[in-house]
Amino acid sequence: MSLFQFLSPRQESEFTDEIESLRTEIDQLRQALINTGLSSLKAKFEDIPRGNIEFTCSDTEISEGLTKTDLCKKINLTSSQINQWASRLNLTPDDYLLELTGWQKPPSQRRYFPSSDTSVSDTPASDTTDDD
């Protein structure tokens, strides 16, 4: 037995229209939920810095290396931001710092040093002059 057997043609038409309207609303709600989730996900990754961040350092800092905290200060980020963002990007904090700064921590070292393919800007010395 069908429900439509008990409905007049007019009631059947109204019922069908109502069902169609509900389907449309459900589809719109589903799309709104998807969009909300996507924009939320997008926001999570949108503000994460990527690529090389320029900064300067002294010859001493280059030769002695920088701690993670000092390196983070150079690029105006915190260690906890680095850890959080690296996790979101499925990177280790060391790999993420390498991407941002070009500095890496050699195995069994506690300090970061410029990688071989990183050009490092020295802090300008106050006693140098250009004689052009």
Side-chain angles (χ1 to χ4, degrees):
M1 269 194 185
S2 168
L3 175 65
F4 292 115
Q5 286 177 297
F6 302 105
L7 299 175
S8 70
R10 181 173 173 234
Q11 288 173 321
E12 184 178 334
S13 176
E14 288 174 1
F15 183 75
T16 303
D17 289 346
E18 188 64 28
I19 295 281
E20 205 46 51
S21 175
L22 287 171
R23 282 186 179 141
T24 301
E25 285 181 46
I26 288 170
D27 286 344
Q28 289 171 346
L29 180 59
R30 181 181 297 128
Q31 190 59 50
L33 289 171
I34 289 169
N35 291 344
T36 300
L38 289 177
S39 64
S40 170
L41 217 109
K42 184 179 175 188
K44 285 182 181 179
F45 289 94
E46 203 167 64
D47 297 332
I48 298 176
R50 299 301 305 261
N52 193 25
I53 298 174
E54 298 284 326
F55 65 97
T56 58
C57 55
S58 69
D59 288 336
T60 304
E61 290 172 323
I62 293 169
S63 63
E64 293 179 3
L66 294 171
T67 64
K68 182 177 183 179
T69 302
D70 290 336
L71 188 55
C72 288
K73 284 179 186 175
K74 291 275 188 188
I75 59 174
N76 296 317
L77 298 173
T78 66
S79 289
S80 107
Q81 285 173 312
I82 295 295
N83 294 340
Q84 182 182 27
W85 292 334
S87 175
R88 285 188 192 164
L89 297 169
N90 292 323
L91 296 171
T92 67
D94 289 343
D95 287 341
Y96 185 51
L97 271 172
L98 176 61
E99 176 187 320
L100 292 178
T101 65
W103 287 48
Q104 61 189 355
K105 186 174 69 162
S108 74
Q109 293 283 326
R110 298 189 62 141
R111 292 180 170 263
Y112 293 79
F113 297 89
S115 68
S116 57
D117 49 289
T118 301
S119 67
V120 179
S121 300
D122 293 334
T123 304
S126 57
D127 60 348
T128 59
T129 58
D130 282 337
D131 293 326
D132 281 318

